[in-house]
């Protein structure tokens, strides 16, 4: 069986392709290169010794999606990463997000539902919980009204999958990621943000390398021990492995429902200042940062209750924050030739 990885040249996608190939899966990547680079294929090949099949496709083109499934008719497993993910941009241009994140999902499911049985892994986000009332966050915490079109596409995406799986041969797992960070230990692949990074860790590494002058810490007056926000930073390699575990669960028919949902995090919350301190420790670099006002839309804290992922899925994060930050730093140095 061949596995389609949409967005397979992106940050989480590329690390997942590596883990799939390590486990012996045949992979075909569909990516439009809108937020990724073709060089990532070489990075994947350098790690696994095997070049995955690659199709440069804009999945918003329904005919292209149909043609893809005609050509690759042995694809019945899909790991779907291809999506837009910048919260601010989604507020400015909501229809771009609904087209990329919802339109494409519909086209993929339309092709999969033609098969007697198929397997679908969806990249969802802890953003569906909003500011949850209780920490750590369990999978049955209520989904709250989305704060952005981006967040809304994750919620609507989950609902579309539930509705469709209920009446077709599609089996699905919805993976709600906490904060993915880090890079492959080999430094052959990592995160490649276009323009100014919006996320904390790439902003830290770009500041440390001299590309950005100063890191802004968005607020130190939150009700947390040091006043900065708390998140659950999960190493991208651990996250990638969870996708392979989830896919195998479906293929081996171990799933208990047509659609299952799992939180993917470490279970540990770290504040922004703790991330900075850990980065300084692993890199030996002093970081130039300044406390500024809060960023609109940020929640105070979010970290995962990992019991369901541990006990039911059989997956557990193995790497710690310092592993994630040192790999991100190694990657940043590699891509800047330092
Ligand atoms: C953000 C999105 C989230 C999305 C995820 C995808 C927002 C509000 N949330 O999560 O919906 O699923 O990215 O990757 O955009 N921080 C700084 N300085 C910076 C950057 C971040 O202090 O320059 C702080 C933030 O206030 C936050 C933490 O670092 O407390 C993590 O921020 P970030 O990496 O952007 O992730 P989220 O906001 O959790």
């Amino acid at each position: 069986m061949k596995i389609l990885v949409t967005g397979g040249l992106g940050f989480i996608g590329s690390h997942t392709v590596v883990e799939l190939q390590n486990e012996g899966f045949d992979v075909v990547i569909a990516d439009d290169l809108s937020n990724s680079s073709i060089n990532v294929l070489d990075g994947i090949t350098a790690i696994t010794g095997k070049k995955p099949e690659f199709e440069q496709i804009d999945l918003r083109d329904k005919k292209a999606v149909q043609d893809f499934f005609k050509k690759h008719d042995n694809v019945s497993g899909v790991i779907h990463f291809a999506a837009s993910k910048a919260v601010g941009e989604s507020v400015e241009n909501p229809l771009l997000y609904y087209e990329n994140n919802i339109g494409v999902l519909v086209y993929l499911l339309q092709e999969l539902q033609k098969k007697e049985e198929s397997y679908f892994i969806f990249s969802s986000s802890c953003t569906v919980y909003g500011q949850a009332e209780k920490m750590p966050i369990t999978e049955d915490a209520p989904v709250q009204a989305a704060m952005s079109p981006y967040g809304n596409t994750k919620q609507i995406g989950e609902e579309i999958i539930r509705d469709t799986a209920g009446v077709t041969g599609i089996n699905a797992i919805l993976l709600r990621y906490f904060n993915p960070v880090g890079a492959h230990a080999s430094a052959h692949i990592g995160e490649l943000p276009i323009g100014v990074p919006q996320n904390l860790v790439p902003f830290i590494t770009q500041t440390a390398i001299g590309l950005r002058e100063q890191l802004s810490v968005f607020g130190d007056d939150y009700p947390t021990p040091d006043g900065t926000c708390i998140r659950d930073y999960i190493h991208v390699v651990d996250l990638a492995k969870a996708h392979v575990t989830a896919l195998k669960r479906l293929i081996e028919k171990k799933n208990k429902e047509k659609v299952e949902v799992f939180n993917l995090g470490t279970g540990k919350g770290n504040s922004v200042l703790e991330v900075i301190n850990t980065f300084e420790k692993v890199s030996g670099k002093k970081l130039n940062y300044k406390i500024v006002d809060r960023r609109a839309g940020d929640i105070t804290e979010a970290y995962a209750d990992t019991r369901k992922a541990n006990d039911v899925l059989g997956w557990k994060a193995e790497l710690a924050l310092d592993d994630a930050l040192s790999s991100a730093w190694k990657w940043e140095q590699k891509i800047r030739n330092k």
Side-chain angles (χ1 to χ4, degrees):
M1 188 198 303
K2 206 192 281 181
I3 306 302
L4 165 61
V5 181
T6 73
L9 296 183
F11 175 42
I12 309 171
S14 58
H15 289 81
T16 301
V17 171
V18 165
E19 298 305 326
L20 283 168
Q21 291 195 327
N22 283 346
E23 293 280 316
F25 283 100
D26 259 343
V27 176
V28 54
I29 293 173
D31 198 302
D32 67 355
L33 300 178
S34 63
N35 194 15
S36 59
S37 156
I38 190 69
N39 299 332
V40 176
L41 261 188
D42 297 333
I44 294 170
T45 312
I47 298 169
T48 63
K50 188 176 171 199
K51 191 169 189 162
E53 257 186 282
F54 171 63
E55 303 271 6
Q56 184 173 347
I57 296 181
D58 183 345
L59 297 166
R60 292 173 299 184
D61 177 350
K62 183 171 178 166
K63 174 85 172 36
V65 176
Q66 291 170 335
D67 290 346
F68 175 93
F69 276 90
K70 275 190 201 120
K71 182 173 168 191
H72 301 274
D73 61 354
N74 55 344
V75 166
S76 46
V78 176
I79 305 185
H80 179 42
F81 294 105
S84 300
K85 60 156 199 161
V87 175
E89 184 187 47
S90 80
V91 175
E92 315 253 295
N93 196 350
L95 291 180
L96 176 75
Y97 276 67
Y98 289 114
E99 186 182 28
N100 283 355
N101 297 7
I102 302 298
V104 169
L105 174 65
V106 170
Y107 298 158
L108 291 170
L109 295 177
Q110 280 174 333
E111 293 308 304
L112 278 185
Q113 72 172 0
K114 294 176 184 166
K115 300 177 188 277
E116 208 170 300
E117 181 141 301
S118 61
Y119 316 106
F120 192 79
I121 309 291
F122 182 63
S123 300
S124 190
S125 168
C126 69
T127 197
V128 302
Y129 301 116
Q131 178 59 73
E133 261 179 43
K134 281 193 231 125
M135 292 297 136
I137 304 174
T138 55
E139 286 80 354
D140 53 17
V143 167
Q144 297 201 44
M147 297 207 292
S148 70
Y150 160 76
N152 210 19
T153 65
K154 293 298 172 191
Q155 297 191 6
I156 298 169
E158 289 195 356
E159 285 171 15
I160 290 172
I161 294 165
R162 282 186 204 282
D163 291 344
T164 310
V167 294
T168 64
I170 298 172
N171 292 274
I173 292 183
L174 315 175
L175 298 177
R176 294 178 177 161
Y177 313 152
F178 282 67
N179 288 57
V181 294
H184 196 267
S186 66
H188 284 302
I189 54 173
E191 194 168 1
L192 282 171
I194 288 178
V196 181
Q198 307 297 308
N199 295 117
L200 178 63
V201 171
F203 207 104
I204 287 178
T205 56
Q206 289 197 6
T207 306
I209 205 93
L211 223 58
R212 313 273 155 216
E213 196 172 319
Q214 191 171 55
L215 167 74
S216 297
V217 173
F218 298 135
D220 69 348
D221 57 350
Y222 285 93
T224 62
D226 67 21
T228 64
C229 296
I230 290 176
R231 297 286 183 276
D232 183 338
Y233 296 91
I234 167 88
H235 196 302
V236 66
V237 171
D238 276 332
L239 193 62
K241 288 179 178 168
H243 290 76
V244 182
T245 308
L247 181 69
K248 282 186 173 167
R249 177 175 174 84
L250 294 182
I251 294 172
E252 291 165 8
K253 307 202 189 315
K254 290 184 181 153
N255 52 315
K256 301 210 169 62
E257 292 158 279
K258 290 281 299 208
V259 180
E260 292 180 317
V261 51
F262 296 101
N263 284 342
L264 297 182
T266 65
K268 188 172 173 356
N270 284 108
S271 72
V272 177
L273 290 178
E274 282 172 342
V275 175
I276 292 173
N277 291 337
T278 308
F279 178 80
E280 289 184 335
K281 194 182 78 201
V282 300
S283 68
K285 284 237 162 205
K286 199 94 200 92
L287 206 63
N288 181 23
Y289 71 88
K290 189 172 131 200
I291 311 287
V292 302
D293 286 347
R294 292 182 176 194
R295 177 171 72 178
D298 274 344
I299 54 166
T300 303
E301 63 176 345
Y303 52 95
D305 187 316
T306 61
R307 281 175 300 176
K308 190 176 176 200
N310 297 167
D311 300 344
V312 181
L313 183 61
W315 165 90
K316 197 174 189 323
E318 282 163 359
L319 299 164
L321 182 62
D322 49 0
D323 299 311
L325 295 176
S326 60
S327 63
W329 179 230
K330 189 173 165 192
W331 167 248
E332 187 71 60
Q333 290 171 290
K334 151 108 188 280
I335 56 176
R336 310 297 167 199
N337 300 315
K338 297 234 167 125

